[in-house]
Amino acid sequence: MSRILITTDYLRPGDEVDQYLRKQGHTTVHSPMVGRRDPAQLVAVLDGMDAALVANEPLTADVLSQASRLRAVVRTGVGYDSIDVAAAARLGITVSNLPGINANAVAEYTIGLLLAAARRLVQSAAGVAAGGWPREDAHELRGSTLGLIGYGAAARAVVPLARAFGMRVLCTTAVPEGRRKDPAVRFVDLPELLAASDHVSVHTALTERTRGLLDAAAFRQMKKTAILVNTARGAVVDEQALADAVRTGEIAGAALDVVSEEPLAADSPLRDTDGIVVYSHMAGQTIEARARTGREGAAEVLAALAGRPRFAVNAHLLPSPTAVADPT
């Protein structure tokens, strides 16, 4: 039977996932990811492991090359940009994600950030805590335009919630036209979306094409009253350019659940900028989503070890093709 490493911090010895894997005859080893690990630590915890159920560890080509027994890696989430999937394929390691697993949680959280930013809830509460009684006017969502960057499962789940608030929805995406079938969404290119949107919400994967996509030039195209929301990947946003844009009034503010370096660095330009609120990467972390993620992640580990991964994102790179999941 196989040895399975579990690094996702909310999966613990004795829980439902642990019991399930052990009942199948496998040995589990828990090493929760807390903060950043250097490559030597990752190599050490992967030693002797046949599979790994992981959070956001940077599984580079060098780290993977030293995990001689490793055959399968499963991300307990959607994004897998922290894993060198091509290197994994060369080593015969399948890499899977769990597409759409936390889409509802992310969609509800996105609406929460939109509301909090539009009504300046965090600033109001902070003012009261500091002894004040702030009473600034704010904005309603109804009648405003929401621009979605990306059209994956989470973005699609945002659409009916935004429409329920009376928002118009625009979207820019690389998803083929044949899969853009939502009559509640108008699909446009990025410049038109930036110019027309009162709120811009990021839901795209981090790739070389999207890294730094929202830069100084992009912020200049946005309304001065616009709010940026990011629940996807921090590196999609040029953080220095964002801080500058908010400080100079080029845009009104931002609500960020993700940043390029997590936890937020002490010298981050995002700190101490009125109008920018940074949260601690919690969009997909509800009790319900975590339960689904644990169960589906464990099932995918076993499927991958049996040579039948359902959601292998590097299947097309492996010597023996397996079913490729929709990465959006």
Side-chain angles (χ1 to χ4, degrees), residues 267-278:
D267 61 351
S268 169
L270 301 173
R271 287 190 181 275
D272 302 320
T273 299
D274 183 36
I276 296 179
V277 180
V278 180

Side-chain angles (χ1 to χ4, degrees), residues 19-80:
Q19 292 182 46
Y20 171 72
L21 292 172
R22 288 180 176 275
K23 281 178 183 176
Q24 304 300 314
H26 302 286
T27 298
T28 57
V29 177
H30 288 74
S31 182
M33 179 182 177
V34 179
R36 290 183 172 270
R37 282 180 173 162
D38 62 40
Q41 290 175 305
L42 288 173
V43 169
V45 296
L46 286 166
D47 184 42
M49 299 297 163
D50 299 284
L53 194 57
V54 303
N56 284 317
E57 286 89 344
L59 298 181
T60 63
D62 183 58
V63 168
L64 291 170
S65 69
Q66 298 179 70
S68 58
R69 284 183 52 173
L70 194 64
R71 290 185 285 138
V73 173
V74 176
R75 261 284 289 121
T76 50
V78 178
Y80 52 90

Side-chain angles (χ1 to χ4, degrees), residues 255-272:
L256 309 174
D257 189 52
V258 288
V259 291
S260 58
E261 181 182 342
E262 297 180 2
L264 185 66
D267 61 351
S268 169
L270 301 173
R271 287 190 181 275
D272 302 320

Side-chain angles (χ1 to χ4, degrees), residues 202-255:
V202 183
H203 298 277
T204 188
L206 179 62
T207 66
E208 287 312 303
R209 182 183 65 83
T210 63
R211 186 179 296 276
L213 177 69
L214 296 176
D215 57 10
F219 297 128
R220 284 194 294 271
Q221 296 177 67
M222 293 170 64
K223 296 180 179 182
K224 291 187 181 299
T225 54
I227 297 289
L228 174 69
V229 171
N230 189 4
T231 57
R233 284 292 182 264
V236 174
V237 177
D238 180 330
E239 293 174 351
Q240 183 63 62
L242 172 61
D244 292 342
V246 174
R247 286 177 185 141
T248 60
E250 209 153 51
I251 69 171

